[in-house]
Amino acid sequence: MLDAKALTKAVCNVVVAVTGLPANKVIIGDNGIDAPTGSYCAVRLQNPEQWGQALNSQTNVQALDDPQYEDIIARVATQFTLGFSINFYRAGAVMYAAALCEANKREPVKTILRAAKLGWSRVSPINNLTGLYQAAMEERAQLTLYLYGESIAEDRIQRIYRAGFTVETEQSGAVAQGEVNGLSG
């Protein structure tokens, strides 16, 4: 399952590493707290989109109920493209946004992404949203950072090793009984 908060914090760490903004000036967007004073950045995960095909695998493991049997662990890794809206406010907003372009080539960013198990896709064009705010011009910039990630789900499947059966014919009513045993070869 995707952990939106952990993913957003990883992107906040990328923004801190690239822009030089202090960590307390790079916040998770829409969190209901007041905006920091001075220049700051708000990061928000947009709708994740499925990308590619899920990677399916199965592994045999010892059964929980009887060690002579085996269960199957079925693993499905769903791949996603994750879009993060990154908004910079106040002095230097456009400069900070531009710093994210090609940031995936920088070693600190590679380290942060690797630790979060994320891959870099691309950065959208920068939107310069500078405008009049409370009777003064306030610099603002927005871009979307696209990353690759995956969500892994595992399910335990118990194998059926023995099944009994009874068969009855319609015409004669003859009955046959038996057992299928997967351990008998």
Side-chain angles (χ1 to χ4, degrees):
M1 175 180 279
L2 293 174
D3 183 348
K5 190 171 185 177
L7 293 169
T8 305
K9 283 184 178 183
V11 173
C12 288
N13 291 336
V14 167
V15 172
V16 167
V18 170
T19 64
L21 281 168
N24 66 340
K25 301 286 185 164
V26 180
I27 62 172
I28 295 174
D30 303 330
N31 61 7
I33 63 171
D34 291 336
T37 58
S39 298
Y40 73 98
C41 176
V43 177
R44 181 174 50 86
L45 175 61
Q46 296 173 324
N47 296 334
E49 296 178 20
Q50 178 188 340
W51 176 78
Q53 292 292 320
L55 305 172
N56 296 317
S57 63
Q58 293 183 346
T59 307
N60 293 333
V61 295
Q62 193 174 50
L64 296 175
D65 55 347
D66 191 336
Q68 70 175 327
Y69 300 117
E70 287 185 335
D71 289 342
I72 299 170
I73 298 293
R75 183 177 187 259
V76 177
T78 304
Q79 300 172 335
F80 289 98
T81 298
L82 307 163
F84 292 88
S85 178
I86 302 178
N87 294 273
F88 293 96
Y89 300 89
R90 304 189 184 122
V94 175
M95 175 193 67
Y96 291 135
L100 280 167
C101 296
E102 300 291 332
N104 60 314
K105 310 267 189 315
R106 298 184 57 190
E107 289 304 320
V109 174
K110 290 179 186 179
T111 302
I112 293 166
L113 294 177
R114 198 174 300 118
K117 297 183 180 177
L118 294 169
W120 187 279
S121 175
R122 67 189 186 282
V123 174
S124 73
I126 298 168
N127 297 310
N128 186 344
L129 304 174
T130 301
L132 192 61
Y133 181 75
Q134 293 183 352
M137 291 300 284
E138 181 176 287
E139 193 175 349
R140 292 183 182 188
Q142 185 278 336
L143 59 82
T144 303
L145 170 61
Y146 295 96
L147 300 176
Y148 295 120
E150 70 180 8
S151 175
I152 298 172
E154 291 185 344
D155 298 298
R156 180 177 285 268
I157 303 167
Q158 294 180 325
R159 290 185 175 164
I160 298 174
Y161 280 95
R162 192 175 305 126
F165 63 89
T166 302
V167 180
E168 186 175 332
T169 64
E170 271 185 39
Q171 288 88 12
S172 67
V175 175
Q177 293 181 333
E179 181 179 275
V180 177
N181 185 339
L183 295 178
S184 62

